[in-house]
C-alpha cells in the first residue's frame, strides 16, 4: 500500500510539474469564432494542438478581444500578443508580396497552391518576406479553402461601366485589380462589413464563401452574388507566432504545432467543400439571392487588369518580383500535369 501511495504522489507531482512547465499562447484570430469555416478554423486549430500537446496550450480570442483583426501582425511581432490565426493578405499595405501567400488572382487553385507552398519555394519565401521586413514572427501555413465568391452587389453588373465608381470592400491583390478598373476599395474586417453596407459607406463587398457571407447577412442588402472567385481561386491562412516565443520551444513542441496546422488545412478545406453548396441553395430559395456568373468578356478584363498590376508590382518591388517569378516558374511546370489529369468541363 505504501508503494501505491508513493507512486500516486509521484504521479501528482509529475502532473503538477507538467502543468507548470506548459507554455501558454494567447492567440488572436482575425475571424470571429462563430463564423462557419472561416472562424471555426482558428478554434479547430486550438482544439487540435491542445489535444496532442502537453507542453504547449493555445487560448483562442476573437478579433477585438486582444487586438483588432488588422493589427495582429504588429501585435505578434512586438510580443503584445503571442500568436495570431489570420491571412497574409491583410498585410498587403505593409508588404507588396503578402497577397501572393494568401490569394493570387487567376492563380493556383487549392492543390497547386499547396504544392507550391509545401513542396516548392512558397513557404520559404513567405518566411523570408517576414524576416526581410523585420517582423519578429514565425509563420506556419495553417488553413486553406477553395474559391470564394467574387462579390455581392445591390444591382446586376453587366459591364465594366457598372463597376466604375463603386465603393467596395475588397481583399488583397484583387483589390488592386478592382482599383485598376475604377472601383474604390477599402479593406474592412468581417464584422465591419454589414454596417458599412447598411449605411451606404460601401456599395458592394466580397468577403468569403456563401455560407460565411450568409452568416453575416449580406443578402439583406445586396441580392446579386457573383462567381467565380477569380480574385481568390484558393485562400491560404497562416499561424503567426512571436519568434522569441517560437525559438524558445523545443523541437517536439514546434513539430506538434506544425502538425496541428497541417491537420487544420485538411479540415478547413473539407468543411468548405461540404457546407457551401447547401448554403447556396438556401441563399437562393430562402433569401432571394440571384447567383450570377461573370461572362468571358468581364473575366478577360479582370485578368488583363491583374497582369498589369502584377507587372507594375514586380517592377517596383524586388521581393515581389522574386516571389512572383518563382510562382510563375512553378505554374509553368505544373501545367503539363494540370492540363492532362483534370476533366476540362464542369460536372453535370
Amino acid at each position: 500500500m505504501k508503494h501505491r501511495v508513493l507512486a500516486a504522489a509521484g504521479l501528482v507531482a509529475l502532473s503538477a510539474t507538467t502543468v507548470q512547465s506548459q507554455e501558454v499562447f494567447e492567440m488572436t484570430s482575425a475571424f470571429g469564432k462563430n463564423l462557419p469555416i472561416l472562424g471555426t478554423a482558428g478554434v479547430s486549430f486550438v482544439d487540435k494542438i491542445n489535444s496532442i500537446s502537453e507542453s504547449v496550450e493555445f487560448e483562442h480570442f476573437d478579433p477585438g478581444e486582444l487586438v483588432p483583426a488588422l493589427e495582429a501582425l504588429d501585435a505578434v511581432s512586438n510580443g503584445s500578443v503571442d500568436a495570431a490565426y489570420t491571412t497574409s493578405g491583410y498585410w498587403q499595405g505593409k508588404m507588396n508580396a503578402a497577397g501572393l501567400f494568401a490569394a493570387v488572382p487567376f492563380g493556383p487553385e487549392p492543390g497547386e497552391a499547396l504544392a507550391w507552398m509545401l513542396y516548392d519555394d512558397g513557404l520559404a519565401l513567405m518566411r523570408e518576406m517576414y524576416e526581410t521586413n523585420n517582423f519578429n514572427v514565425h509563420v506556419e501555413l495553417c488553413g486553406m479553402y477553395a474559391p470564394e465568391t467574387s462579390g455581392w452587389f445591390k444591382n446586376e453588373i453587366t459591364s465594366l461601366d457598372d463597376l466604375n465608381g463603386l465603393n467596395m470592400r475588397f481583399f488583397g491583390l484583387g483589390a488592386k485589380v478592382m482599383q485598376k478598373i475604377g472601383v474604390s476599395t477599402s479593406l474592412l474586417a468581417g464584422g465591419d462589413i454589414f454596417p458599412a453596407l447598411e449605411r451606404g459607406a460601401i456599395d458592394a463587398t466580397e468577403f468569403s464563401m456563401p455560407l460565411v457571407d450568409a452568416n453575416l447577412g449580406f443578402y439583406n442588402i445586396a441580392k446579386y452574388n457573383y462567381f467565380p472567385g477569380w480574385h481568390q481561386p484558393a485562400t491560404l491562412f497562416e499561424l503567426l507566432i512571436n519568434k522569441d516565443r517560437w525559438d524558445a520551444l523545443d523541437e517536439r513542441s514546434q513539430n506538434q504545432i506544425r502538425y496541428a496546422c497541417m491537420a487544420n488545412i485538411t479540415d478547413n478545406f473539407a468543411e468548405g467543400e461540404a457546407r457551401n453548396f447547401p448554403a447556396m441553395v438556401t441563399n437562393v430559395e430562402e433569401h432571394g439571392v440571384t447567383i450570377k456568373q461573370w461572362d468571358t468578356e468581364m473575366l478577360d478584363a479582370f485578368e488583363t487588369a491583374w497582369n498589369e498590376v502584377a507587372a507594375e508590382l514586380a517592377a517596383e518591388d524586388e521581393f515581389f518580383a522574386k516571389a512572383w517569378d518563382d510562382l510563375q516558374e512553378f505554374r509553368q511546370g505544373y501545367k503539363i500535369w494540370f492540363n492532362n489529369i483534370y476533366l476540362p468541363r464542369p460536372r453535370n
Side-chain angles (χ1 to χ4, degrees):
M1 177 66 72
K2 182 178 180 180
H3 292 299
R4 289 185 180 178
V5 171
L6 290 174
L11 287 172
V12 170
L14 179 61
S15 176
T17 302
T18 302
V19 171
Q20 290 170 1
S21 65
Q22 193 172 51
E23 292 285 336
V24 177
F25 290 78
E26 291 186 339
M27 185 195 84
T28 185
S29 176
F31 317 104
K33 61 179 176 293
N34 293 325
L35 277 180
I37 308 169
L38 190 59
T40 54
V43 176
S44 183
F45 162 73
V46 169
D47 290 343
K48 289 177 176 66
I49 184 60
N50 290 350
S51 70
I52 65 174
S53 180
E54 295 179 346
S55 58
V56 296
E57 179 181 348
F58 278 68
E59 296 179 358
H60 179 281
F61 292 87
D62 268 2
E65 291 185 316
L66 298 179
V67 292
L70 302 184
E71 297 178 17
L73 173 58
D74 289 331
V76 176
S77 181
N78 66 34
S80 59
V81 174
D82 301 316
Y85 181 86
T86 182
T87 176
S88 62
Y90 279 168
W91 324 131
Q92 189 66 49
K94 299 176 182 291
M95 301 173 287
N96 282 325
L100 293 176
F101 308 105
V104 181
F106 299 94
E109 295 176 2
E112 186 179 4
L114 274 183
W116 180 61
M117 289 294 292
L118 299 180
Y119 277 84
D120 197 70
D121 299 325
L123 185 55
L125 286 165
M126 187 182 194
R127 289 172 176 162
E128 181 182 346
M129 175 187 71
Y130 284 116
E131 183 178 349
T132 56
N133 283 277
N134 298 314
F135 287 107
N136 185 41
V137 298
H138 174 80
V139 62
E140 293 288 342
L141 191 63
C142 207
M144 179 200 70
Y145 58 48
E148 297 187 349
T149 84
S150 63
W152 293 79
F153 297 87
K154 297 176 183 178
N155 301 302
E156 187 174 0
I157 306 298
T158 60
S159 69
L160 290 178
D161 288 340
D162 293 333
L163 291 172
N164 190 38
L166 286 184
N167 294 312
M168 188 173 183
R169 185 273 182 194
F170 222 93
F171 171 83
L173 291 166
K176 293 185 176 294
V177 175
M178 297 304 276
Q179 292 164 15
K180 177 76 71 173
I181 61 177
V183 177
S184 177
T185 70
S186 55
L187 180 61
L188 303 175
D192 298 327
I193 298 173
F194 184 86
L197 273 174
E198 191 173 38
R199 68 175 184 269
I202 56 175
D203 305 304
T205 188
E206 65 77 44
F207 181 58
S208 185
M209 297 175 133
L211 179 61
V212 182
D213 293 348
N215 187 274
L216 292 171
F218 299 160
Y219 59 77
N220 287 298
I221 298 173
K223 295 291 189 182
Y224 292 92
N225 191 197
Y226 274 78
F227 296 79
W230 57 268
H231 65 306
Q232 289 182 245
T235 305
L236 304 175
F237 300 92
E238 63 185 6
L239 176 69
L240 296 174
I241 299 178
N242 176 269
K243 196 166 189 308
D244 297 330
R245 295 294 311 274
W246 174 263
D247 288 344
L249 293 173
D250 59 59
E251 184 178 3
R252 181 182 180 88
S253 298
Q254 291 177 348
N255 282 336
Q256 287 170 336
I257 293 170
R258 184 172 291 121
Y259 298 147
C261 275
M262 293 293 287
N264 211 52
I265 292 169
T266 304
D267 200 15
N268 192 207
F269 179 64
E271 185 183 9
E273 293 294 273
R275 299 187 65 193
N276 275 294
F277 64 87
M280 292 177 72
V281 174
T282 300
N283 284 345
V284 171
E285 295 183 352
E286 297 183 18
H287 302 313
V289 171
T290 299
I291 291 176
K292 301 291 290 186
Q293 286 277 329
W294 297 115
D295 61 29
T296 301
E297 182 178 354
M298 291 292 287
L299 287 173
D300 286 346
F302 293 143
E303 188 168 15
T304 296
W306 162 241
N307 289 333
E308 293 173 2
V309 167
E312 291 166 3
L313 289 174
E316 70 184 50
D317 188 304
E318 183 178 349
F319 185 80
F320 182 96
K322 177 181 177 178
W324 176 243
D325 288 347
D326 191 276
L327 176 58
Q328 293 303 97
E329 181 182 2
F330 180 82
R331 299 201 74 198
Q332 186 61 36
Y334 183 84
K335 190 182 298 183
I336 188 172
W337 167 251
F338 181 86
N339 287 346
N340 284 284
I341 201 66
Y342 291 108
L343 290 170
R345 61 185 184 276
R347 292 178 62 181
N348 294 321

